């Protein structure tokens, strides 16, 4: 179980506003997150991951406290072991596809399976500059999965994929998520594309 109750001040074109989210996510659940632009969806994911500190909040994962501003508890991102798919991919320009995955795990069988899921088996020696936008996005997803996270945070993870690849990848990920019982939060502007994954949703607004 993941329990989140946070508040964060945001600077918007309308001035300062408060992002407030209080929600529990059962282990193994998959939740799609949507809301208007500027509502704080990406900020919400980054607060959970530990990249941004809120003014006030408590986050617990399986009874382990990741954040409690009242008690001054702040678990750093590297200790949260949450997978994160960045909207801009955040790939390492000097690393090949294979090296990106080896950065998170030395399990050769797991890397082989991830490469198959992302259809990148023939591109393992390529660096990001030689990959298409869709291939880079798939690599970003695979990299986030290398650590076999309990919690996977995905920010617009399918935006660069063509419809055929998107459908195939979502199907593969659904199988993987069901097997691993990972809890997944996905920000997307296209709710329909996620219907094959989940009906659970969270609307974020200011």
């Amino acid at each position: 179980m993941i329990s989140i109750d946070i508040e964060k001040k945001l600077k918007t074109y309308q001035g300062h506003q408060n992002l407030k989210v209080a929600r529990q996510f059962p282990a193994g659940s998959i939740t799609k997150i949507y809301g208007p632009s500027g509502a704080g969806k990406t900020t919400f994911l980054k607060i959970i991951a530990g990249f941004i500190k809120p003014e006030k909040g408590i986050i617990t994962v399986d009874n382990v406290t990741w954040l409690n501003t009242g008690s001054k508890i702040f678990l750093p991102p590297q200790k949260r072991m949450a997978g994160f798919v960045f909207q801009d991919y955040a790939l390492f320009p000097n690393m090949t596809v294979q090296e990106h995955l080896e950065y998170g795990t030395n399990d050769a069988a797991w890397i082989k399976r991830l490469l198959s899921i992302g259809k990148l088996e023939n591109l393992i020696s390529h660096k990001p500059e030689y990959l298409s936008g869709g291939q880079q996005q798939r690599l970003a997803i695979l990299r986030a999965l290398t650590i076999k996270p309990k919690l996977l945070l995905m920010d617009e993870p399918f935006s660069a994929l063509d419809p055929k690849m998107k459908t195939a990848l979502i199907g593969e990920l659904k199988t993987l998520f069901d097997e691993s019982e990972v809890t997944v939060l996905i920000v997307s502007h296209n709710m329909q594309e996620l219907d094959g994954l989940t009906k659970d949703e969270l609307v974020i607004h200011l």
Side-chain angles (χ1 to χ4, degrees), residues 57-149:
I58 298 175
I59 299 174
T60 60
V61 179
D62 295 337
N63 296 316
V64 176
T65 301
W66 284 11
L67 171 75
N68 187 324
T69 53
S71 301
K72 297 184 179 179
I73 296 172
F74 180 79
L75 198 68
Q78 64 271 24
K79 292 188 176 180
R80 299 191 185 196
M81 293 297 288
F84 200 106
V85 181
F86 294 88
Q87 191 172 144
D88 62 357
Y89 319 146
L91 299 174
F92 303 119
N94 60 324
M95 285 188 179
T96 64
V97 168
Q98 182 78 20
E99 289 168 341
H100 272 87
L101 302 188
E102 290 176 345
Y103 187 80
T105 182
N106 58 8
D107 185 337
W110 181 231
I111 289 175
K112 183 177 180 180
R113 182 176 181 191
L114 291 176
L115 288 168
S116 176
I117 288 172
K119 302 295 187 290
L120 296 177
E121 308 100 312
N122 298 323
L123 299 171
I124 59 173
S125 63
H126 287 52
K127 293 181 179 180
E129 64 179 311
Y130 299 108
L131 301 176
S132 69
Q135 290 165 344
Q136 289 183 31
Q137 191 164 55
R138 280 178 272 152
L139 176 56
I141 293 171
L142 302 186
R143 182 183 60 181
L145 289 167
T146 57
I147 60 173
K148 297 184 179 179

Side-chain angles (χ1 to χ4, degrees), residues 87 89 134 137 155-162 166 188 193:
Q87 191 172 144
Y89 319 146
Q137 191 164 55
D155 193 0
E156 296 285 356
F158 309 118
S159 59
L161 304 183
D162 63 67
K166 185 183 300 183
S188 178
E193 72 182 9

